[in-house]
Amino acid sequence: MIDIATVVFKDELPILKLQAKSIERYCRNIGIRNIYVIVNDDEDTIHQIDAGWWGEAANHVLVVPRSAFSTQFVQDGWVSQQVLKILAASMSHNTWTMVLDAKTIFVKDLELKDIIDEQGRARVGTMDIYPVFEPTRLMVNQTYDIDLQKQLGPGGVPFLFQNDVVRLMIADTTFKMKQRFPLWFQRKGRITEFMLYAGYLQYRFGGFETFYSPENVLFPVNLCHSEVDQFESKLQQMKQDSTITASIHRNAWKELTDDQKQQYQHFLLDRGIFCAWELP
């Protein structure tokens, strides 16, 4: 029912190993066929990724160099990462793809019945669009001649793409823009993958309700580089029973004290991610 896709850079491999262990422990009951690891870096990086990190899920792992998509990529890794998330979902012939960042660590058991409702819709809800994404919203509106007012929850990763819709979006947008989709997307610069997808749902289906439930059950907790002073409160949020994933941005990690790093590692150890002590 749900595949998993992570786009990774070379310097994220240590944290990817933790994510792999968390997938093995907490994602056994969501109907995974494939775990796509898309390498957005030198192709030699693929040889540094060991499917054994995923333990019992190792046979599901496909490590894919970005050259497999037969297109050019811009130097800006933030932009290329986003289009690669879309392209990864387009590869999957499972129903859904859950997109992650390398730093996204599962800390709670996932059950398919909790994520997908009785109508087959993902239970992610909707959210207001953050002011910082207003330029993106305007680009999406212009692309599809719509007035997008909401985005899908949880507003970032873990994000659930409906794979058939992704393939439709790529085909329709290619025809509409008269450019190959990956090149067009990257030329837009600051358009974002999840906002574009939300806009396409409104354009093609009149809204989100066909594929997405208004109820949200995905509660990630992320510490970004501007929130280092909130570490203690964020860690407490990570420990709440409702939290599905935890993550710390690599730039935030560099600013944490040794004691704070150990607190996070102990939290992950308590959740059964026993390689957490290997974090540099």
Side-chain angles (χ1 to χ4, degrees):
M1 180 66 77
I2 301 176
D3 282 347
I4 290 177
T6 300
V7 179
V8 64
F9 298 98
K10 182 186 296 186
D11 62 3
E12 294 178 317
L13 296 188
I15 195 70
L16 178 69
K17 184 176 181 180
L18 272 67
Q19 180 187 103
K21 295 300 183 185
S22 77
I23 290 172
E24 178 193 17
R25 182 175 179 84
Y26 291 115
C27 299
R28 298 179 180 182
N29 299 318
I30 62 172
I32 292 174
R33 292 180 186 169
N34 292 317
I35 299 168
Y36 298 98
V37 181
I38 312 297
V39 176
N40 192 18
D41 216 315
D42 298 335
E43 293 209 2
D44 287 346
T45 304
I46 66 174
H47 304 298
Q48 300 175 43
I49 298 171
D50 182 358
W53 295 345
W54 283 261
E56 294 181 3
N59 289 338
H60 298 283
V61 175
L62 295 174
V63 181
V64 182
R66 68 181 190 178
S67 61
F69 297 103
S70 301
T71 191
Q72 295 176 319
F73 292 97
V74 297
Q75 291 296 316
D76 188 334
W78 186 83
V79 173
S80 58
Q81 179 187 46
Q82 293 186 56
V83 75
L84 282 166
K85 290 175 181 177
I86 295 173
L87 295 175
S90 76
M91 294 174 64
S92 172
H93 286 275
N94 215 331
T95 307
W96 301 90
T97 294
M98 182 178 285
V99 175
L100 312 174
D101 290 333
K103 62 183 181 293
T104 310
I105 311 297
F106 289 97
V107 294
K108 176 184 177 181
D109 278 319
L110 295 188
E111 298 288 341
L112 197 59
K113 64 180 177 61
D114 296 330
I115 304 171
I116 307 298
D117 72 10
E118 293 179 353
Q119 300 177 53
R121 302 179 303 174
R123 298 169 65 194
V124 302
T126 61
M127 303 172 59
D128 291 334
I129 296 171
Y130 305 127
V132 69
F133 290 124
E134 179 61 14
T136 297
R137 188 184 78 87
L138 294 176
M139 282 191 281
V140 171
N141 286 348
Q142 183 180 36
T143 299
Y144 296 125
D145 192 24
I146 58 172
D147 183 17
L148 185 67
Q149 293 295 322
K150 293 283 186 179
Q151 61 176 326
L152 288 165
V157 297
F159 187 89
L160 280 164
F161 279 128
Q162 210 285 347
N163 297 326
D164 289 334
V165 174
V166 169
R167 284 184 282 272
L168 279 173
M169 179 181 74
I170 292 172
D172 284 352
T173 308
T174 297
F175 181 79
K176 188 175 177 62
M177 297 294 108
K178 297 180 173 57
Q179 298 179 55
R180 292 180 60 194
F181 179 83
L183 298 179
W184 169 82
F185 183 96
Q186 292 177 97
R187 286 168 183 156
K188 298 298 288 185
R190 292 292 148 175
I191 203 164
T192 65
E193 72 279 51
F194 305 144
M195 289 278 285
L196 182 73
Y197 176 76
Y200 181 75
L201 284 166
Q202 182 169 322
Y203 163 73
R204 187 70 164 76
F205 301 99
F208 307 146
E209 295 77 12
T210 303
F211 300 99
Y212 294 90
S213 164
E215 180 184 14
N216 177 32
V217 298
L218 298 184
F219 298 105
V221 178
N222 311 304
L223 182 74
C224 71
H225 62 278
S226 63
E227 298 175 323
V228 173
D229 61 341
Q230 302 176 38
F231 172 79
E232 299 299 336
S233 63
K234 288 282 189 174
L235 184 60
Q236 292 306 311
Q237 292 175 41
M238 291 176 185
K239 294 178 179 180
Q240 293 178 2
D241 291 341
S242 59
T243 299
I244 185 173
T245 61
S247 70
I248 297 179
H249 191 279
R250 61 183 178 274
N251 291 335
W253 181 257
K254 294 174 184 176
E255 296 182 31
L256 296 180
T257 66
D258 289 343
D259 179 65
Q260 288 172 327
K261 290 179 180 179
Q262 288 178 11
Q263 288 183 59
Y264 184 61
Q265 288 171 308
H266 283 302
F267 161 66
L268 295 179
L269 288 168
D270 287 342
R271 295 303 173 95
I273 314 301
F274 298 123
C275 55
W277 62 270
E278 299 178 16
L279 277 175

